[in-house]
Amino acid sequence: MTIRILPAIGDPDAARAVSSLLHQLPDAEPSPTVADSAALLHALAGAAAQGAGAPAAGALPAAGQPSAVEALPEVVLVHERIGPTPALELIREVALRFPAVGVVLITTDAGPALFSAAMDAGARGIVGMPLGYDELAARVQAAAQWSAGVRVHLGGSPEAVPGPAGTLVTVTGAKGGVGTTVTAVQLALAARAAGRSVALVDLDLQSGDVASYLDVQFRRSVVDLAGIHDISVRVLQDAVHDHHTGLGLLLAPEEGERGEEVDDRAARQIIGALRSRYEVVLVDCGSQMQSANAAAVELADLALLVTTPDVVAVRAAKRQVRLWDRLQIRKAEDTTTVVNRLTRNTEIQPPLVAKATGTQVARTHVPAAFKELQPCVDAGRMQDLDNRSTVKQALCALAGELGLVDSPAARQGRGSHRARPTLTGRKRKAITPGAAPGSGGVPGQAPGAASGAGPGSGTRFGVRRGPAAAAGGQGPFDPSGEG
């Protein structure tokens, strides 16, 4: 959302410099500069009164009136040489009369004494002269975010929050090689194709492969943001690679040992900065838990755990969930497991995965079809995966299930079995009422009576079960066991 800025600067040279920088800020809507304190207070009172439906010369409405609050600018810039009221007194007056406005002081003396006095007066930040783009952008954005929070508590519309409150989705692998990066990349591409602004972050800091899957060579990485305590808009833009698909990529470092520089504090700050700029932030966490990706999983709106339907992977998924629970990162019931490379004949089916891990299992399962993926994987161009690919269709349906896209195709993917991609890529035949699944017979015909039907044809579309499974047990494969 646009950040409205009202500068109050009496010095013409400083006014020109500030106006030039403000017009460079993204999502900023600077108002014409006012030259003195009286003009500033009059402009704020007029905006509040106009928003409340009263004449500009009337009394100031109560701060709790949402329309009055929303009409005010989010940020006011006050120059130290403003007059006739001294700058600190003016800041105190604005803070008392318009508590939903964030005030930033522009001064040549940014020492601790003035900083303390400005904070006591009600300022939300100080910008030193000569002005710098990064510092001004950071202070304006921080003041605007504070102002938006105050307006929500005062009864203003939540829509007043500047910038998109991005949805954070993490994708973690139960173990290496289960398809974590492919899942993250395709979900990001699906969300971008739906018209959303998407950032894809590689927090598999030692062995991240997002750059390899999207054929990217970029010298910046997430490590470049780790040592910055106040990430400005320009710094973030320098670190994020704008991919030709429209994705914003924040990549893992080329030197894996540098991943140790990204701790949980840095991860939280980086993710917060991305969420203020993008509607969807997708994080590839890999399969090894470190402080950075653990923080991402903890903050996530949606935490996905990718596994394959085999004993080793399901046991690894169970260990991962238990680890998150012990470290109080995330509860099992708040985790969504995605079953990858599923086939009809797989012994371990999604209900058993849910029972073994204690997590929710996504309704959409990804089929085993590596031949479809291999050309794009070898070329490092996952964005070129054919739309007819059953893997891509399944992952697009998964994106729809997770709420990352809202398209007719996604809604069809959540509908009948005819609309969903099959596990083998072949079209399903319609099942005639009264006929057994897989029999191919006519209504009323006994299973196996169709031409060519053998004794085992009744299990063609079902799950092979041993005696224990048929009786309600766990079957020959028990992923919940530890041995």
Side-chain angles (χ1 to χ4, degrees):
M1 180 175 284
T2 302
I3 302 174
R4 294 164 296 178
I5 306 169
L6 177 58
I9 304 171
D11 185 357
D13 293 335
R16 284 192 293 269
V18 170
S19 178
S20 176
L21 288 176
L22 290 180
H23 282 89
Q24 298 178 36
L25 298 181
D27 302 327
E29 184 181 285
S31 300
T33 303
V34 294
D36 55 54
S37 57
L40 172 63
L41 294 174
H42 179 75
L44 291 176
Q50 184 178 5
L60 181 67
Q65 295 185 12
S67 56
V69 170
E70 292 173 8
L72 291 168
E74 284 78 18
V75 181
V76 167
L77 300 179
V78 175
H79 190 259
E80 63 179 352
R81 295 184 181 177
I82 196 73
T85 306
L88 293 181
E89 291 297 328
L90 179 60
I91 291 173
R92 185 175 288 107
E93 180 80 8
V94 172
L96 289 174
R97 294 182 59 185
F98 311 98
V101 175
V103 184
V104 177
L105 175 63
I106 301 175
T107 177
T108 55
D109 177 19
L114 181 60
F115 181 85
S116 178
M119 294 301 105
D120 291 340
R124 301 309 308 170
I126 289 182
V127 178
M129 297 280 287
L131 293 173
Y133 175 90
D134 291 342
E135 185 181 10
L136 181 62
R139 297 295 169 263
V140 166
Q141 193 171 50
Q145 290 174 350
W146 174 87
S147 172
V150 171
R151 292 171 193 227
V152 172
H153 289 293
L154 290 178
S157 171
E159 296 178 357
V161 178
T167 301
L168 176 60
V169 183
T170 58
V171 185
T172 308
K175 57 185 290 294
V178 296
T180 308
T181 302
V182 170
T183 301
V185 169
Q186 288 298 325
L187 288 177
L189 290 171
R192 183 69 192 101
R196 299 193 174 187
S197 58
V198 182
L200 177 58
V201 186
D202 196 346
L203 278 187
D204 188 1
L205 297 172
Q206 291 187 349
S207 54
D209 283 325
V210 169
S212 299
Y213 276 89
L214 292 174
D215 191 24
V216 174
Q217 293 181 350
F218 193 57
R219 61 187 181 89
R220 299 288 187 184
S221 73
V222 66
V223 174
D224 294 303
L225 298 177
I228 301 175
H229 294 281
D230 195 357
I231 301 176
S232 67
V233 176
R234 177 169 293 182
V235 169
L236 190 64
Q237 290 173 343
D238 288 342
V240 175
H241 173 70
D242 293 325
H243 197 253
H244 66 82
T245 57
L247 297 178
L249 304 179
L250 187 56
L251 304 173
E254 284 287 339
E255 304 84 7
E257 65 274 12
R258 295 198 62 195
E260 298 178 357
E261 301 176 28
V262 186
D263 56 10
D264 57 337
R265 181 206 61 80
R268 292 175 188 276
Q269 187 175 15
I270 292 167
I271 289 172
L274 290 169
R275 294 182 77 173
S276 70
R277 301 294 303 162
Y278 294 90
E279 295 177 271
V280 177
V281 179
L282 254 152
V283 182
D284 180 358
C285 293
S287 58
Q288 297 297 321
M289 277 292 102
Q290 299 171 338
S291 60
N293 48 23
V297 173
E298 183 181 3
L299 295 172
D301 300 304
L302 293 169
L304 305 183
L305 182 60
V306 182
T307 186
T308 49
D310 57 84
V311 173
V312 176
V314 175
R315 285 180 177 172
K318 185 176 181 180
R319 286 196 302 269
Q320 190 77 274
V321 170
R322 287 180 172 178
L323 173 66
W324 290 353
D325 185 63
R326 288 196 304 271
L327 298 179
Q328 297 183 350
I329 296 172
R330 200 170 195 88
K331 295 181 180 179
E333 55 267 26
D334 296 330
T335 304
T336 301
T337 299
V338 178
V339 181
N340 189 22
R341 301 176 194 153
L342 186 67
T343 65
R344 291 193 183 96
N345 297 324
T346 302
E347 288 283 353
I348 300 176
Q349 290 292 311
L352 184 56
V353 175
K355 181 178 179 181
T357 60
T359 63
Q360 306 176 47
V361 174
R363 297 190 303 272
T364 305
H365 317 305
V366 185
F370 185 71
K371 288 184 178 179
E372 299 175 358
L373 296 174
Q374 188 170 4
C376 296
V377 170
D378 292 342
R381 297 183 60 83
M382 284 300 300
Q383 67 271 22
D384 294 340
L385 185 61
D386 196 304
N387 290 332
R388 295 171 296 180
S389 164
T390 57
V391 174
K392 183 169 184 177
Q393 292 176 12
L395 289 172
C396 286
L398 176 63
E401 180 182 335
L402 298 175
L404 301 181
V405 302
D406 187 16
S407 63
R411 289 192 293 270
Q412 289 177 359
R414 297 192 295 269
S416 66
H417 76 279
R418 293 172 182 265
R420 292 195 293 268
T422 65
L423 296 175
T424 62
R426 296 191 296 268
K427 294 182 179 179
R428 289 192 176 104
K429 294 182 179 180
I431 299 176
T432 308
S439 65
V442 297
Q445 192 173 14
S451 175
S457 62
T459 62
R460 181 181 174 191
F461 292 97
V463 181
R464 279 191 307 154
R465 301 181 182 272
Q474 293 175 322
F477 292 95
D478 180 12
S480 63
E482 296 297 333

